[in-house]
Amino acid sequence: SDLDPVAKIQAQDEAYYGSISLEMAKSGDWLTPRFLDRYALVKPPLLYWLQAAGIKALGHIVGNNVGNSGAERKALALRWPSIFAGSATVALVFAWLLMEGVPLAAAAAGAILLLSSHLFFVLSRIGLTDALLTLETALAMFALARDPKLASRASLWTFGLASGAALMTKGIAGLFSWLALALLC
């Protein structure tokens, strides 16, 4: 079945990633992702690690809420990386526009326009790699835009960590920020 009939996002992807993360949290083996007792080396492990950490941390915190079923708690714990990444991306866009001297109303409009994107909104609410990759790429581009030569230590570290995290999130798709740096040079 589709999670989103408009964007045609399949439920099986979220279930696959979630199953791997649940197994990581349960077994304590954080180094080798497994699905149905087989190696699951299709994607880099950052999303799995974050989801498994969410199961460990949020599973206990959210577990005390009355009215939440176990499935709802697990879904929240598995989706928190995407929810956080979507929120952080909107905040980054807003702050970036303000730093560029854009009026407050225009910066707010930029953040609202991003939120109004159906695909961004949906991908920021489900346990897939896309919201994380979007945040990491936007953060790397922010560092590059603020300091094109990456001369300051903060810019260099921000770009490097965000680009590295992008690679650890989605593999070759995480090379976009490095491609932008190469074109800038």
Side-chain angles (χ1 to χ4, degrees), residues 100 140-156 159 181 184:
E100 292 297 322
M141 293 299 94
F142 171 75
L144 200 54
R146 299 292 293 166
D147 183 3
K149 294 184 180 183
L150 298 177
S152 76
R153 189 172 266 182
S155 295
L156 182 63
F159 181 84
L181 178 62
L184 187 64

Side-chain angles (χ1 to χ4, degrees), residues 19-183:
S19 177
I20 292 168
S21 301
L22 286 167
E23 179 60 30
M24 266 187 185
K26 185 176 118 182
S27 71
D29 181 6
W30 293 68
L31 293 179
T32 310
R34 297 179 192 276
F35 180 73
L36 299 176
D37 290 329
R38 295 178 185 216
Y39 294 132
L41 305 174
V42 177
K43 296 277 185 187
L46 186 59
L47 178 67
Y48 308 142
W49 291 340
L50 293 173
Q51 287 181 331
I55 291 292
K56 290 289 200 179
L58 292 177
H60 294 88
I61 295 168
V62 178
N64 296 330
N65 290 348
V66 178
N68 279 351
S69 70
E72 290 172 342
R73 288 192 304 267
K74 280 183 186 168
L76 178 62
L78 290 171
R79 291 174 176 167
W80 84 265
S82 296
I83 294 168
F84 173 80
S87 302
T89 303
V90 171
L92 176 63
V93 166
F94 178 74
W96 190 349
L97 289 171
L98 283 178
M99 287 179 184
E100 292 297 322
V102 172
L104 180 62
I112 291 168
L113 279 172
L114 179 58
L115 270 176
S116 69
S117 164
H118 178 74
L119 188 59
F120 178 82
F121 185 75
V122 169
L123 292 176
S124 295
R125 295 177 44 222
I126 56 178
L128 299 176
T129 57
D130 302 281
L132 275 176
L133 180 65
T134 301
L135 171 62
E136 294 153 354
T137 303
L139 189 57
M141 293 299 94
F142 171 75
L144 200 54
R146 299 292 293 166
D147 183 3
K149 294 184 180 183
L150 298 177
S152 76
R153 189 172 266 182
S155 295
L156 182 63
W157 276 98
T158 301
F159 181 84
L161 289 174
S163 298
L167 284 171
M168 290 296 292
T169 297
K170 202 148 177 162
I172 198 162
L175 290 175
F176 179 75
S177 54
W178 293 101
L179 176 63
L181 178 62
L183 290 173

Side-chain angles (χ1 to χ4, degrees), residues 4-17:
D4 178 26
V6 175
K8 303 290 186 216
I9 297 170
Q10 299 292 313
Q12 65 199 28
D13 294 340
E14 184 180 35
Y16 174 73
Y17 300 151

